[in-house]
Amino acid sequence: MNRFVALLFLILFPIIVFAQSDAEFYNRAISKLKIGDLKGALEDFNQSIKLDPDYAPAYTNRGAIKYNLGDTKGALSDLNKAIELDPNDAKAYSNKAAILNDLGNYEQALIDATKSTKLDANYSKAYSNRGVAYSGLGKSDQAIKDFEQALVLNPNNVEAYYNLGTENGVIGDSKSAVKYLSKAVELNPNNIDAYYNLGLNYDKLGDQSNALKSYDKTIVLNPNYYKSYVNRGLVKFELGDIKGSLDDYDRAIEIKPSYQAYYSRGISNAKLENYQDSVNDYTKALELNPDLLLAYIKRGVDKARLDDYTGALSDFEKAIELEPGYAPAYFNMAIININNGQNDIACKNLYKSKQLGFNQSEKLIKEYCSE
């Protein structure tokens, strides 16, 4: 899962009485679900379905269990069977939508979640799942409306608070994002993703203190949550704690090497004038993401500081190849050209950067180029 929590849940239908052997397995499965014994419940639902293959709730519950145990294909198969047996099962449609959201099939998830809301207009989780589908389709306004409706129907729907907070962050309303994400962690103090997103939005609001606290909380809950180390390092950098930022980037890379961690560590190393280390970090970042434009620019600048002008020019040229309209790359090339005594070439690059709106070029044009 990425930004959103998929709302898949186990449907605890009341214990029922039907053919003795069927009831024994089904009811025992329900009891095991209540204590979190998913594998034991799965075995009993298997037996129940074997003895009575036409009872829809058994498929709905088994589908939820299969998904929670990582069997996505089997989960969808069971939910489809539940819907075939009982076309009015709102919960089966909602669970299916949750799985499809996780698979990125937002269009079909939207169809199934909408069907669920029509079958049961008071079912909070269906609106949450439809909101996730709308968000995945880039329809933030509709997503927010559905998350809000989910909360009207169930003010304790923690996933709806989380999703509503996250979606507000997506549209740039960090103040609202903090409000809803704070409620999500109040209802579920172990929601790592909510604390992580709180950190992101506190930082956007300029509240680095609470951003650090939020990232600290995610790391307490999961010491291997590498993204929090990266983002906590960024906040520490903003606060001038460069050494602290390096420690966090080192830990993030130890857990899971990522271009974000290497790139950010490169910036911190450059700030400390450790230019060879920064060049090495940008190189590692580019190995993981060859299209990282700013890594070429920053590596080129630091190569120039190490007197590797050929390497610097190569990096600026690569940046231009990636983004022909990126004016600073032409300006930086001109600086190298001037250093190499190539004023004619430098002027071409300066004029190009000025044409692209980089006003800093004007001073050097006056000094080195004849209009």
Side-chain angles (χ1 to χ4, degrees):
M1 285 177 279
N2 296 318
R3 292 180 309 162
F4 297 99
V5 175
L7 306 181
L8 188 72
F9 73 109
L10 305 174
I11 304 167
L12 303 181
F13 287 92
I15 292 177
I16 57 171
V17 177
F18 47 109
Q20 182 62 45
S21 57
D22 301 355
E24 178 183 356
F25 285 114
Y26 182 88
N27 294 338
R28 190 169 68 183
I30 294 296
S31 296
K32 288 180 179 179
L33 279 181
K34 291 179 179 179
I35 62 172
D37 181 8
L38 298 186
K39 291 184 179 180
L42 178 63
E43 292 175 1
D44 284 337
F45 279 128
N46 287 341
Q47 292 300 318
S48 176
I49 288 171
K50 183 177 181 180
L51 293 168
D52 183 0
D54 296 323
Y55 188 59
Y59 289 99
T60 302
N61 274 316
R62 190 175 72 170
I65 293 173
K66 285 182 177 180
Y67 185 69
N68 279 279
L69 293 176
D71 181 8
T72 302
K73 183 177 180 180
L76 285 173
S77 177
D78 274 353
L79 291 169
N80 283 329
K81 182 64 175 180
I83 290 168
E84 176 188 330
L85 292 169
D86 181 4
N88 295 316
D89 187 348
K91 295 176 177 62
Y93 279 105
S94 181
N95 274 4
K96 184 182 173 186
I99 296 176
L100 292 170
N101 278 328
D102 272 358
L103 294 175
N105 188 353
Y106 300 115
E107 292 184 356
Q108 185 59 49
L110 180 63
I111 292 171
D112 286 320
T114 298
K115 180 68 173 178
S116 181
T117 63
K118 290 181 177 179
L119 289 170
D120 185 351
N122 295 315
Y123 188 42
S124 175
K125 291 181 183 292
Y127 290 97
S128 288
N129 281 325
R130 191 170 70 175
V132 173
Y134 274 130
S135 178
L137 294 170
K139 300 178 179 180
S140 293
D141 289 346
Q142 288 144 297
I144 287 173
K145 288 179 182 178
D146 269 349
F147 296 143
E148 290 174 339
Q149 179 62 19
L151 290 174
V152 168
L153 295 170
N154 179 7
N156 292 316
N157 186 333
V158 61
E159 293 89 356
Y161 279 112
Y162 171 75
N163 288 333
L164 187 55
T166 303
E167 193 65 24
N168 273 284
V170 168
I171 64 174
D173 185 357
S174 290
K175 186 175 180 180
S176 293
V178 165
K179 171 186 173 183
Y180 293 116
L181 290 166
S182 295
K183 184 64 176 180
V185 298
E186 177 188 326
L187 292 171
N188 180 6
N190 295 318
N191 192 328
I192 295 177
D193 290 331
Y195 280 111
Y196 177 77
N197 280 288
L198 265 175
L200 290 175
N201 285 284
Y202 273 129
D203 191 27
K204 290 177 182 177
L205 291 171
D207 186 350
Q208 282 82 17
S209 176
N210 275 314
L212 285 177
K213 290 177 183 177
S214 298
Y215 293 134
D216 288 344
K217 185 65 176 180
T218 66
I219 291 168
V220 168
L221 291 170
N222 181 0
N224 292 320
Y225 201 72
Y226 80 98
K227 294 188 295 182
S228 283
Y229 288 101
V230 176
N231 282 3
R232 191 174 70 174
L234 293 172
V235 175
K236 288 180 179 180
F237 183 91
E238 293 171 10
L239 295 173
D241 181 8
I242 311 304
K243 179 62 169 61
S245 74
L246 284 172
D247 290 340
D248 275 346
Y249 300 142
D250 288 345
R251 178 62 179 143
I253 290 168
E254 179 184 341
I255 297 168
K256 181 179 180 179
S258 67
Y259 77 86
Q260 297 96 329
Y262 280 114
Y263 175 76
S264 298
R265 192 172 72 174
I267 294 173
S268 289
N269 273 315
K271 185 71 173 179
L272 295 175
E273 299 183 3
N274 299 328
Y275 298 125
Q276 188 58 62
D277 288 338
S278 67
V279 166
N280 293 340
D281 281 332
Y282 295 137
T283 298
K284 295 293 286 186
L286 288 166
E287 288 174 3
L288 295 170
N289 183 359
D291 296 328
L292 192 57
L293 173 69
L294 289 179
Y296 286 107
I297 296 294
K298 291 184 178 296
R299 188 175 70 172
V301 169
D302 289 350
K303 282 181 178 179
R305 288 167 170 158
L306 294 169
D307 297 328
D308 179 9
Y309 300 118
T310 301
L313 282 173
S314 177
D315 278 344
F316 298 144
E317 288 169 354
K318 181 62 178 179
I320 290 170
E321 179 183 326
L322 288 172
E323 180 53 69
Y326 191 67
Y330 292 98
F331 180 80
N332 286 337
M333 288 183 68
I335 299 296
I336 303 297
N337 299 144
I338 291 170
N339 186 77
N340 290 338
Q342 301 170 311
N343 287 10
D344 290 345
I345 299 175
C347 289
K348 290 181 181 178
N349 285 321
L350 287 170
Y351 283 126
K352 181 65 175 178
S353 65
K354 180 183 177 182
Q355 177 188 345
L356 292 169
F358 198 71
N359 295 329
Q360 290 174 258
S361 303
E362 293 182 5
K363 182 178 178 181
L364 293 182
I365 289 173
K366 291 177 181 178
E367 186 173 352
Y368 291 99
C369 309
S370 57
E371 296 286 351

